[in-house]
Amino acid sequence: MADGDLRDNPAPRGPREEREAESAASAAGDVEDAQESDAARRRRRAQFLRELHEAKQLRDRVQPRRARAARMRHQMRMRTFRW
């Protein structure tokens, strides 16, 4: 430990206490990182799904015959689906 550490924290800790403090701090950091990365992943996923939906709408507008055929196939699948 440096001299500045002793002035800030006058009671020196043993090696076990230091490991416990470090693991608690790293666990808290991991949880924050996981939450932030989870939120970032959800944002990226939402953006991707918006762009995908927009691309499908554009494709349907520029290829109306293909879009109609796809709708008809989907309707037939739904009609023949058994619950």
Side-chain angles (χ1 to χ4, degrees):
M1 283 198 220
D3 293 334
D5 291 342
L6 288 175
R7 271 186 255 125
D8 293 338
N9 189 5
R13 294 191 225 172
R16 181 171 159 237
E17 292 172 344
E18 286 181 5
R19 277 195 306 259
E20 288 174 357
E22 288 172 1
S23 65
S26 68
D30 291 344
V31 169
E32 290 174 7
D33 290 344
Q35 288 173 349
E36 186 171 333
S37 64
D38 190 41
R41 184 187 64 80
R42 283 193 306 256
R43 275 194 303 275
R44 287 192 313 269
R45 182 176 186 272
Q47 177 68 27
F48 170 76
L49 290 175
R50 279 193 298 271
E51 290 174 357
L52 180 65
H53 185 68
E54 183 181 338
K56 284 182 180 179
Q57 286 180 336
L58 176 64
R59 185 182 61 200
D60 290 349
R61 277 198 310 267
V62 298
Q63 298 178 340
R65 188 173 15 181
R66 186 175 289 181
R68 183 173 183 267
R71 277 196 312 274
M72 295 297 163
R73 282 193 301 274
H74 182 69
Q75 287 174 357
M76 285 301 290
R77 266 197 313 273
M78 291 298 109
R79 267 187 237 141
T80 59
F81 182 77
R82 301 225 174 191
W83 294 99

